[in-house]
Amino acid sequence: MEDKDYLKLIGENISSIRKSKNLSTNEFASRCEMEKSNLIPIEKGRINVTINTLIKIANALNVPLDDLLKF
Amino acid sequence: MEDKDYLKLIGENISSIRKSKNLSTNEFASRCEMEKSNLIPIEKGRINVTINTLIKIANALNVPLDDLLKF
DNA sequence: ATTTTAGGTATGATATATAATACCTTTCAA
DNA sequence: TTGAAAGGTATTATATATCATACCTAAAAT
């Protein structure tokens, strides 16, 4: 599997968990203490996220890190 | 748990798996197609690795990504 | 004794993740 | 019929991940 594919899957995981918790991108960004302009491309799989960012996201979504990395 | 702690744990995971497979840092770096000068600080938990790098590492070690992220 | 090999550090260059801000469009409630 | 609130994009700036290379020390191998 290509790197890009992993990023896309991670983005989809994040996006679908966020939606399942009824969080807007704004609310989500504020919980992550990150910029929406950075989070949306992450959900689209356009950014090669760092582990610290993934941890922030997992915390904001209140899920274990593993949930973001299911392939 | 602090970000730094996660990085340290991930580094320890990587280091101990590498050693358990009897890989030198040079051989490891070459399998990752990465620089040793970047991998050693990762093992020390000094670098906020990206997902693509973690995936390269997991592939080089022939373990699932999850194995690097056990806390 | 000399050479390898292994772990490790230092440094300058380049690519890119993230911040910060502004803006656009559509939808829907007031 | 306006004006929030939603998803999304664009851009500039800053921090830092990764590359590329050179170098050091200690321990083993020859």
Side-chain angles (χ1 to χ4, degrees):
Chain A
M1 187 156 54
E2 300 281 334
D3 285 357
K4 286 179 191 172
D5 300 325
Y6 285 106
L7 296 183
K8 206 149 212 165
L9 290 173
I10 291 170
E12 284 166 6
N13 289 339
I14 293 170
S15 181
S16 82
I17 296 171
R18 174 180 63 79
K19 287 171 184 163
S20 80
K21 307 226 166 186
N22 290 314
L23 284 175
S24 71
T25 50
N26 277 307
E27 174 65 13
F28 180 39
S30 123
R31 285 203 198 181
C32 290
E33 293 178 301
M34 286 183 62
E35 297 303 318
K36 183 181 64 156
S37 61
N38 194 231
L39 278 171
I40 290 179
I42 288 172
E43 286 193 356
K44 303 269 171 198
R46 295 200 199 105
I47 290 183
N48 177 19
V49 236
T50 65
I51 272 292
N52 283 345
T53 295
L54 279 182
I55 288 167
K56 277 190 200 172
I57 290 174
N59 288 341
L61 293 176
N62 210 26
V63 297
L65 185 53
D66 298 8
D67 282 17
L68 309 183
L69 302 171
K70 301 225 159 102
F71 300 134
Chain B
M1 186 157 54
E2 299 281 334
D3 284 357
K4 286 179 191 171
D5 300 326
Y6 285 105
L7 296 183
K8 205 148 212 164
L9 291 173
I10 290 170
E12 285 166 7
N13 289 339
I14 293 170
S15 182
S16 83
I17 296 171
R18 174 180 63 79
K19 287 171 184 162
S20 80
K21 308 225 166 186
N22 290 315
L23 284 176
S24 71
T25 49
N26 277 308
E27 174 65 13
F28 180 39
S30 124
R31 285 203 199 180
C32 290
E33 293 178 300
M34 286 181 61
E35 297 302 318
K36 183 180 65 157
S37 61
N38 194 230
L39 277 171
I40 291 180
I42 289 172
E43 287 194 356
K44 303 271 173 200
R46 295 202 197 102
I47 290 183
N48 177 19
V49 238
T50 64
I51 271 292
N52 283 345
T53 295
L54 280 182
I55 288 166
K56 278 190 199 170
I57 290 174
N59 288 340
L61 293 176
N62 209 26
V63 296
L65 186 52
D66 298 8
D67 282 16
L68 309 184
L69 302 172
K70 301 225 158 101
F71 300 133

PDB file of all heavy atoms in Angstrom, chain A residues 8-25:
ATOM      1  N   LYS A   8      -4.881   8.770   3.340  1.00  0.00           N
ATOM      2  CA  LYS A   8      -6.288   8.904   2.973  1.00  0.00           C
ATOM      3  C   LYS A   8      -7.175   8.125   3.955  1.00  0.00           C
ATOM      4  O   LYS A   8      -8.208   8.625   4.404  1.00  0.00           O
ATOM      5  CB  LYS A   8      -6.494   8.398   1.544  1.00  0.00           C
ATOM      6  CG  LYS A   8      -7.684   9.033   0.861  1.00  0.00           C
ATOM      7  CD  LYS A   8      -7.452   9.153  -0.647  1.00  0.00           C
ATOM      8  CE  LYS A   8      -8.147  10.390  -1.205  1.00  0.00           C
ATOM      9  NZ  LYS A   8      -7.689  10.769  -2.535  1.00  0.00           N
ATOM     10  N   LEU A   9      -6.727   6.935   4.287  1.00  0.00           N
ATOM     11  CA  LEU A   9      -7.523   6.131   5.217  1.00  0.00           C
ATOM     12  C   LEU A   9      -7.561   6.764   6.599  1.00  0.00           C
ATOM     13  O   LEU A   9      -8.604   6.794   7.256  1.00  0.00           O
ATOM     14  CB  LEU A   9      -6.948   4.717   5.299  1.00  0.00           C
ATOM     15  CG  LEU A   9      -7.150   3.882   4.024  1.00  0.00           C
ATOM     16  CD1 LEU A   9      -6.409   2.558   4.118  1.00  0.00           C
ATOM     17  CD2 LEU A   9      -8.640   3.634   3.790  1.00  0.00           C
ATOM     18  N   ILE A  10      -6.426   7.276   7.038  1.00  0.00           N
ATOM     19  CA  ILE A  10      -6.391   7.944   8.342  1.00  0.00           C
ATOM     20  C   ILE A  10      -7.337   9.140   8.326  1.00  0.00           C
ATOM     21  O   ILE A  10      -8.115   9.356   9.258  1.00  0.00           O
ATOM     22  CB  ILE A  10      -4.950   8.375   8.686  1.00  0.00           C
ATOM     23  CG1 ILE A  10      -4.088   7.140   8.964  1.00  0.00           C
ATOM     24  CG2 ILE A  10      -4.936   9.317   9.887  1.00  0.00           C
ATOM     25  CD1 ILE A  10      -2.599   7.435   9.085  1.00  0.00           C
ATOM     26  N   GLY A  11      -7.293   9.906   7.257  1.00  0.00           N
ATOM     27  CA  GLY A  11      -8.179  11.059   7.136  1.00  0.00           C
ATOM     28  C   GLY A  11      -9.644  10.656   7.185  1.00  0.00           C
ATOM     29  O   GLY A  11     -10.448  11.291   7.872  1.00  0.00           O
ATOM     30  N   GLU A  12      -9.948   9.577   6.498  1.00  0.00           N
ATOM     31  CA  GLU A  12     -11.341   9.116   6.499  1.00  0.00           C
ATOM     32  C   GLU A  12     -11.753   8.657   7.899  1.00  0.00           C
ATOM     33  O   GLU A  12     -12.871   8.906   8.337  1.00  0.00           O
ATOM     34  CB  GLU A  12     -11.526   7.972   5.492  1.00  0.00           C
ATOM     35  CG  GLU A  12     -11.558   8.466   4.049  1.00  0.00           C
ATOM     36  CD  GLU A  12     -11.410   7.336   3.023  1.00  0.00           C
ATOM     37  OE1 GLU A  12     -11.389   6.145   3.412  1.00  0.00           O
ATOM     38  OE2 GLU A  12     -11.285   7.656   1.810  1.00  0.00           O
ATOM     39  N   ASN A  13     -10.851   7.984   8.575  1.00  0.00           N
ATOM     40  CA  ASN A  13     -11.149   7.571   9.946  1.00  0.00           C
ATOM     41  C   ASN A  13     -11.461   8.785  10.815  1.00  0.00           C
ATOM     42  O   ASN A  13     -12.464   8.802  11.541  1.00  0.00           O
ATOM     43  CB  ASN A  13      -9.953   6.827  10.554  1.00  0.00           C
ATOM     44  CG  ASN A  13      -9.754   5.451   9.947  1.00  0.00           C
ATOM     45  OD1 ASN A  13     -10.673   4.871   9.362  1.00  0.00           O
ATOM     46  ND2 ASN A  13      -8.543   4.913  10.072  1.00  0.00           N
ATOM     47  N   ILE A  14     -10.609   9.779  10.729  1.00  0.00           N
ATOM     48  CA  ILE A  14     -10.802  10.976  11.553  1.00  0.00           C
ATOM     49  C   ILE A  14     -12.130  11.634  11.220  1.00  0.00           C
ATOM     50  O   ILE A  14     -12.938  11.946  12.107  1.00  0.00           O
ATOM     51  CB  ILE A  14      -9.650  11.973  11.316  1.00  0.00           C
ATOM     52  CG1 ILE A  14      -8.340  11.386  11.838  1.00  0.00           C
ATOM     53  CG2 ILE A  14      -9.948  13.316  11.981  1.00  0.00           C
ATOM     54  CD1 ILE A  14      -7.098  12.185  11.441  1.00  0.00           C
ATOM     55  N   SER A  15     -12.361  11.811   9.936  1.00  0.00           N
ATOM     56  CA  SER A  15     -13.572  12.493   9.506  1.00  0.00           C
ATOM     57  C   SER A  15     -14.819  11.748   9.969  1.00  0.00           C
ATOM     58  O   SER A  15     -15.782  12.357  10.451  1.00  0.00           O
ATOM     59  CB  SER A  15     -13.553  12.619   7.992  1.00  0.00           C
ATOM     60  OG  SER A  15     -14.685  13.297   7.537  1.00  0.00           O
ATOM     61  N   SER A  16     -14.800  10.430   9.848  1.00  0.00           N
ATOM     62  CA  SER A  16     -16.031   9.717  10.181  1.00  0.00           C
ATOM     63  C   SER A  16     -16.248   9.659  11.688  1.00  0.00           C
ATOM     64  O   SER A  16     -17.377   9.738  12.161  1.00  0.00           O
ATOM     65  CB  SER A  16     -16.065   8.336   9.535  1.00  0.00           C
ATOM     66  OG  SER A  16     -15.326   7.418  10.295  1.00  0.00           O
ATOM     67  N   ILE A  17     -15.163   9.589  12.446  1.00  0.00           N
ATOM     68  CA  ILE A  17     -15.335   9.626  13.903  1.00  0.00           C
ATOM     69  C   ILE A  17     -15.847  11.006  14.326  1.00  0.00           C
ATOM     70  O   ILE A  17     -16.767  11.114  15.138  1.00  0.00           O
ATOM     71  CB  ILE A  17     -14.019   9.283  14.632  1.00  0.00           C
ATOM     72  CG1 ILE A  17     -13.596   7.846  14.322  1.00  0.00           C
ATOM     73  CG2 ILE A  17     -14.162   9.493  16.134  1.00  0.00           C
ATOM     74  CD1 ILE A  17     -12.201   7.482  14.818  1.00  0.00           C
ATOM     75  N   ARG A  18     -15.250  12.052  13.762  1.00  0.00           N
ATOM     76  CA  ARG A  18     -15.707  13.407  14.094  1.00  0.00           C
ATOM     77  C   ARG A  18     -17.206  13.559  13.821  1.00  0.00           C
ATOM     78  O   ARG A  18     -17.948  14.058  14.673  1.00  0.00           O
ATOM     79  CB  ARG A  18     -14.937  14.443  13.284  1.00  0.00           C
ATOM     80  CG  ARG A  18     -15.473  15.867  13.485  1.00  0.00           C
ATOM     81  CD  ARG A  18     -14.735  16.907  12.687  1.00  0.00           C
ATOM     82  NE  ARG A  18     -14.834  16.746  11.249  1.00  0.00           N
ATOM     83  CZ  ARG A  18     -15.893  17.112  10.512  1.00  0.00           C
ATOM     84  NH1 ARG A  18     -16.962  17.633  11.093  1.00  0.00           N
ATOM     85  NH2 ARG A  18     -15.895  16.931   9.203  1.00  0.00           N
ATOM     86  N   LYS A  19     -17.627  13.086  12.649  1.00  0.00           N
ATOM     87  CA  LYS A  19     -19.041  13.224  12.303  1.00  0.00           C
ATOM     88  C   LYS A  19     -19.923  12.393  13.226  1.00  0.00           C
ATOM     89  O   LYS A  19     -21.004  12.825  13.623  1.00  0.00           O
ATOM     90  CB  LYS A  19     -19.265  12.843  10.845  1.00  0.00           C
ATOM     91  CG  LYS A  19     -18.740  13.909   9.886  1.00  0.00           C
ATOM     92  CD  LYS A  19     -18.759  13.435   8.441  1.00  0.00           C
ATOM     93  CE  LYS A  19     -18.134  14.501   7.526  1.00  0.00           C
ATOM     94  NZ  LYS A  19     -17.754  13.965   6.201  1.00  0.00           N
ATOM     95  N   SER A  20     -19.450  11.205  13.564  1.00  0.00           N
ATOM     96  CA  SER A  20     -20.257  10.341  14.432  1.00  0.00           C
ATOM     97  C   SER A  20     -20.440  10.966  15.805  1.00  0.00           C
ATOM     98  O   SER A  20     -21.359  10.624  16.538  1.00  0.00           O
ATOM     99  CB  SER A  20     -19.600   8.972  14.560  1.00  0.00           C
ATOM    100  OG  SER A  20     -18.556   9.027  15.513  1.00  0.00           O
ATOM    101  N   LYS A  21     -19.556  11.897  16.136  1.00  0.00           N
ATOM    102  CA  LYS A  21     -19.695  12.586  17.427  1.00  0.00           C
ATOM    103  C   LYS A  21     -20.345  13.956  17.259  1.00  0.00           C
ATOM    104  O   LYS A  21     -20.346  14.765  18.196  1.00  0.00           O
ATOM    105  CB  LYS A  21     -18.314  12.726  18.079  1.00  0.00           C
ATOM    106  CG  LYS A  21     -17.560  11.397  18.172  1.00  0.00           C
ATOM    107  CD  LYS A  21     -16.934  11.179  19.514  1.00  0.00           C
ATOM    108  CE  LYS A  21     -16.501   9.723  19.646  1.00  0.00           C
ATOM    109  NZ  LYS A  21     -15.996   9.394  20.978  1.00  0.00           N
ATOM    110  N   ASN A  22     -20.855  14.204  16.065  1.00  0.00           N
ATOM    111  CA  ASN A  22     -21.541  15.467  15.788  1.00  0.00           C
ATOM    112  C   ASN A  22     -20.715  16.699  16.114  1.00  0.00           C
ATOM    113  O   ASN A  22     -21.202  17.661  16.685  1.00  0.00           O
ATOM    114  CB  ASN A  22     -22.860  15.542  16.559  1.00  0.00           C
ATOM    115  CG  ASN A  22     -23.876  14.569  16.003  1.00  0.00           C
ATOM    116  OD1 ASN A  22     -24.043  14.482  14.784  1.00  0.00           O
ATOM    117  ND2 ASN A  22     -24.529  13.835  16.880  1.00  0.00           N
ATOM    118  N   LEU A  23     -19.444  16.638  15.728  1.00  0.00           N
ATOM    119  CA  LEU A  23     -18.578  17.793  15.925  1.00  0.00           C
ATOM    120  C   LEU A  23     -18.418  18.534  14.607  1.00  0.00           C
ATOM    121  O   LEU A  23     -18.136  17.923  13.582  1.00  0.00           O
ATOM    122  CB  LEU A  23     -17.196  17.351  16.395  1.00  0.00           C
ATOM    123  CG  LEU A  23     -17.050  16.921  17.843  1.00  0.00           C
ATOM    124  CD1 LEU A  23     -15.635  16.408  18.090  1.00  0.00           C
ATOM    125  CD2 LEU A  23     -17.353  18.094  18.762  1.00  0.00           C
ATOM    126  N   SER A  24     -18.595  19.839  14.641  1.00  0.00           N
ATOM    127  CA  SER A  24     -18.287  20.649  13.462  1.00  0.00           C
ATOM    128  C   SER A  24     -16.779  20.759  13.339  1.00  0.00           C
ATOM    129  O   SER A  24     -16.047  20.523  14.306  1.00  0.00           O
ATOM    130  CB  SER A  24     -18.890  22.041  13.601  1.00  0.00           C
ATOM    131  OG  SER A  24     -18.185  22.767  14.574  1.00  0.00           O
ATOM    132  N   THR A  25     -16.330  21.117  12.146  1.00  0.00           N
ATOM    133  CA  THR A  25     -14.877  21.274  11.977  1.00  0.00           C
ATOM    134  C   THR A  25     -14.335  22.371  12.891  1.00  0.00           C
ATOM    135  O   THR A  25     -13.226  22.267  13.402  1.00  0.00           O
ATOM    136  CB  THR A  25     -14.524  21.599  10.508  1.00  0.00           C
ATOM    137  OG1 THR A  25     -15.341  22.663  10.046  1.00  0.00           O
ATOM    138  CG2 THR A  25     -14.732  20.390   9.628  1.00  0.00           C
TER     139      THR A  25
END
